[in-house]
Amino acid sequence: MTSPSTPRPTSSSTSSSTSSSTPSSLSSRERILGRVRAALADEPTAPHPARGYLTSHTPDDPTVILDLLHENLADYRALVHRAEESELPSLVADLLAKHGAASVAVPPGLPASWLSGTTVERRHDEGATLTPYDLDATDAVITGCALAVAETGTIILDGGPGQGRRALTLVPDVHICVVRAADQIVASVPQAMPRLDPTRPLTWISGPSATSDIELDRVEGVHGPRTLHVVLITEASARGERGGTTGGA
Amino acid sequence: MSGTYLGMPAFPKAAHEAVRNDTLRANLRHATHTIRDKRAVAVAELDDWTELREAGKQIKDHTLSRLDHYLVQLEESVTAAGGTVHWAAYADEANRIVADLVKATGEGDTGKREVVKVKSMATQEIGLNEALEAEGIAAYETDLAELIVQLGEDRPSHILVPAIHRNRGEIRDIFRSEMEKWGRAAPEGLTDSPAELAEAARLHLREKFLRAKVGISGANFMVAETGTMVVVESEGNGRMCLTLPETLISVVGIEKIVPTWRDLEVFLQTLPRSSTAERMNPYTSMWTGTTDADGPEAFHLVLIDNGRTDTLADEVGRQALRCIRCSACLNVCPVYERAGGHAYGSVYPGPIGAILTPQLRGTASEIDASLPYASSLCGACYDVCPVAIDIPEVLVHLREKVAEHGGPGHRLEKAAIKAAGWVLDHPGVLAAGERVAAKTRRLHPKKLRGPGASQWTDSRDLPEMPAEPFRDWWKKNRT
Ligand code: SF4
């Protein structure tokens, strides 16, 4: 055990290194690792964790999982829509019109048909050419996603085709995200992890941005897009009773 | 740790002052009770909470038991992914590294140097903002609550809602008078509605995000096998800071490692529910090194020790390093509710602060030595902790250590301290009482009798009576 009042050296005893390749920084590295090893000297390695928790809390039924995603997205104030693929162009056009959007950011690889029902100005981001200021002056953005998690009401973007780089879905004030129910929804977080590629930049989005910093009153929309539309693309048979648009106003 | 808190009165005095502030008490009570109740609902949704909690504990224990291995693995992974890793043994060194990195970017060479920051306990702990200011670098906090605190020249009082001690009227006044000094002024006719206040913050900060060249963050988790960093947030300011600048510097305590990608599945379920009582927080960002044409071109990870290895060396106390900073323990703590966050004299308030701060920075000062006594040992903090830190156990342990090392009179349980104070004023009683106690030491019950006795569980032993009379010990150790 060490003394609880180990003296701390002042700045004079430490380096001003800025690179791990300089000798002085190496010494801090060695010092920290040395202290860790000293602290653990007689310590056996603690066992690997027992993973007694569940892989999912939801019945393995696509309809139940889809409904749960819908419900949880709406519960956190995303505006949720269901549509068949063929209905998407007109739905997207309606949503953009409803927000009075004059411009929409378009990520590389977005299916052209998604915007085929609207004439709003498209701002393509091939080669990441849009500056933060360009994006700030763009009204909306439309993307697909990598995955959606029903139990937490989460959509996950990984920068793949039709999703764009992270700034694209951050700066414009309206985000329309399209989720393919057939193959992009999992029930739970443990089911999501193996389907994600950690080498890609990932953004997990669960409803629009929010703060409760003022007297714990929840306010939706601080810095991210203040409006999040999620469109669940379903087969005709899967629209069920929950068809149409629901969610927080 | 940060110089901000030097000269703080010891806990009992600071707490006494807070208790007399009615507004603060009302705000705190409202806030803690609201989150507390919501958390219980969010946790009850998961049938396997017990197993998730146990897995979280075991992941962290395993990591800590091989921390050297995982640190080296993390360094390799981050480096392979295009990041640069720096090591800082102490706060000053970390601050120096960050300041030099900011200058090396060329940011502000022609004008004012500035960086945008996303809330990070680690950077508060090391006093980074003050250190950068001394180097001519303005660090803008971008969390709404941190902004309120920074504009109000105030100190945070809660891990999760640092401005919990401010009500809406106060916030409006701060925005009206202070925003224009830092950038875009508050809108004309700003009212105290939370939506309007949030909008004012959005407008004020947006210009800073758009022009930012350097972002500074902490991280909630670092994955050793992949080099992935994770930041969990609500407002989107984190995404702004992590995505828009050209250079990103993350300052992270060495205990924030998890070994595998899969381990995140545990904490991504337990952290949001424990913290904001949500199934999932609005935004979670994960990045691994740098990515072409997406986000910062340069990524620097500054790993800080700053007392963590001392904590690791303590077999009982090291469990504090499992903490994922969810703040659930604050919200259930009867002492925190009454005393407020400032009384703890550090960036880590509440029960976790009472066990972490004295370990990170030692117990040389009065405030730090008094912290292990800032508890009734009721155990509510342990019950809610998503990584099962036995805070009462560590508190009792630290009291023993304070006693062993001659802290200024803080060696007994809270009720006993008051008694000791009275006894010290009555030398005759002290002499007689202590001698009797020392002689009968072997006969003293190991479980507490008297004040607070019902709060103790059977597993919590009393600190042992000192072998020598208290007054002799006191004389020897006081100077
Ligand atoms: S000690 Fe436990 S309950 Fe308290 S902040 Fe840390 S993880 Fe949360």
Side-chain angles (χ1 to χ4, degrees), chain B residues 159 323-330 352 381 384-387 389 391:
Chain B
I159 292 178
C323 176
I324 56 172
R325 312 277 189 267
C326 72
S327 72
C329 58
L330 276 64
I352 180 58
C381 47
V384 296
C385 178
V387 284
I389 299 172
I391 294 175

Side-chain angles (χ1 to χ4, degrees), chain A residues 136, chain B residues 151 175 178-187 199-208 211:
Chain A
D136 193 42
Chain B
L151 291 177
F175 279 11
E178 301 302 317
M179 271 186 172
E180 63 188 13
K181 298 179 192 162
W182 294 79
R184 182 167 174 161
E199 168 76 9
R202 177 184 173 96
L203 294 170
H204 178 77
L205 288 171
R206 176 115 340 186
E207 59 170 17
K208 293 188 165 50
R211 69 166 185 246

Side-chain angles (χ1 to χ4, degrees), chain B residues 189-435:
Chain B
L190 179 69
T191 75
D192 65 359
S193 101
E196 273 192 42
L197 294 170
E199 168 76 9
R202 177 184 173 96
L203 294 170
H204 178 77
L205 288 171
R206 176 115 340 186
E207 59 170 17
K208 293 188 165 50
F209 289 135
L210 294 179
R211 69 166 185 246
K213 295 281 180 280
V214 183
I216 296 181
S217 81
N220 295 90
F221 306 100
M222 314 185 276
V223 182
E225 68 170 354
T226 59
T228 307
M229 316 290 298
V230 182
V231 164
V232 168
E233 56 138 350
S234 295
E235 294 173 15
N237 61 308
R239 290 178 70 194
M240 293 277 179
C241 294
L242 301 171
T243 310
L244 296 183
E246 290 159 12
T247 299
L248 171 61
I249 304 168
S250 299
V251 182
V252 189
I254 55 173
E255 83 284 18
K256 294 285 175 129
I257 296 190
V258 298
T260 68
W261 172 247
R262 186 184 177 190
D263 292 329
L264 293 176
E265 72 192 21
V266 174
F267 301 110
L268 288 176
Q269 292 188 84
T270 54
L271 177 56
R273 287 174 202 265
S274 300
S275 179
T276 47
E278 292 167 305
R279 287 180 205 105
M280 191 61 86
N281 49 287
Y283 296 138
T284 297
S285 296
M286 302 178 178
W287 73 98
T288 304
T290 54
T291 305
D292 281 345
D294 187 347
E297 289 147 31
F299 169 58
H300 296 274
L301 171 60
V302 183
L303 294 170
I304 59 167
D305 177 348
N306 203 37
R308 284 158 178 78
T309 47
D310 289 341
T311 310
L312 186 67
D314 185 326
E315 283 165 40
V316 178
R318 67 166 63 126
Q319 58 185 305
L321 297 177
R322 293 204 297 259
C323 176
I324 56 172
R325 312 277 189 267
C326 72
S327 72
C329 58
L330 276 64
N331 301 327
V332 296
C333 178
V335 176
Y336 175 82
E337 183 189 322
R338 287 164 184 79
H342 291 157
Y344 293 82
S346 114
V347 298
Y348 303 109
I352 180 58
I355 62 168
L356 194 58
T357 309
Q359 299 198 83
L360 290 181
R361 63 184 184 191
T363 47
S365 74
E366 253 184 54
I367 175 73
D368 293 340
S370 67
L371 282 175
Y373 299 89
S375 168
S376 66
L377 301 174
C378 74
C381 47
Y382 169 64
D383 292 340
V384 296
C385 178
V387 284
I389 299 172
D390 192 339
I391 294 175
E393 181 190 30
V394 181
L395 285 169
V396 171
H397 171 70
L398 290 176
R399 290 176 190 192
E400 289 169 17
K401 287 183 80 169
V402 170
E404 265 172 41
H405 292 278
H410 302 288
R411 65 189 252 279
L412 298 174
E413 199 269 333
K414 197 173 159 200
I417 282 194
K418 282 189 189 145
W422 181 82
V423 172
L424 281 173
D425 290 333
H426 302 79
V429 179
L430 176 69
E434 279 299 310
R435 230 162 265 135

Side-chain angles (χ1 to χ4, degrees), chain B residues 41-227:
Chain B
V41 174
V43 165
E45 272 187 17
L46 298 184
D47 297 338
D48 56 342
W49 185 259
T50 309
E51 290 78 13
L52 283 166
R53 183 177 187 241
E54 182 61 25
K57 169 181 187 278
Q58 291 185 14
I59 289 168
K60 288 286 190 175
D61 277 347
H62 170 76
T63 314
L64 291 171
S65 77
R66 301 198 61 197
L67 189 58
D68 51 335
H69 167 79
Y70 288 120
L71 280 167
V72 171
Q73 191 187 14
L74 176 79
E75 182 187 42
E76 284 167 8
S77 308
V78 170
T79 308
T84 307
V85 179
H86 310 260
W87 302 71
Y90 298 104
D92 293 336
E93 187 181 11
N95 291 334
R96 177 81 263 142
I97 290 170
V98 175
D100 287 348
L101 284 171
V102 174
K103 290 179 186 169
T105 64
E107 152 60 21
D109 275 354
T110 51
K112 195 172 159 196
R113 288 183 212 274
E114 57 180 34
V115 300
V116 287
K117 276 189 71 201
V118 52
K119 174 172 133 88
S120 140
M121 311 281 319
T123 61
Q124 282 171 29
E125 175 192 317
I126 63 175
L128 180 64
N129 290 7
E130 294 80 2
L132 290 179
E133 197 183 324
E135 301 271 346
I137 301 164
Y140 297 118
E141 292 292 352
T142 62
D143 260 69
L144 181 49
E146 297 290 341
L147 177 72
I148 295 165
V149 167
Q150 189 173 49
L151 291 177
E153 292 181 27
D154 206 352
R155 280 174 292 116
S157 60
H158 189 284
I159 292 178
L160 183 68
V161 256
I164 207 165
H165 58 291
R166 294 285 196 188
N167 63 34
R168 61 184 73 191
E170 293 176 286
I171 295 168
R172 179 204 50 206
D173 294 344
I174 291 169
F175 279 11
R176 274 187 181 164
S177 65
E178 301 302 317
M179 271 186 172
E180 63 188 13
K181 298 179 192 162
W182 294 79
R184 182 167 174 161
E188 281 293 311
L190 179 69
T191 75
D192 65 359
S193 101
E196 273 192 42
L197 294 170
E199 168 76 9
R202 177 184 173 96
L203 294 170
H204 178 77
L205 288 171
R206 176 115 340 186
E207 59 170 17
K208 293 188 165 50
F209 289 135
L210 294 179
R211 69 166 185 246
K213 295 281 180 280
V214 183
I216 296 181
S217 81
N220 295 90
F221 306 100
M222 314 185 276
V223 182
E225 68 170 354
T226 59

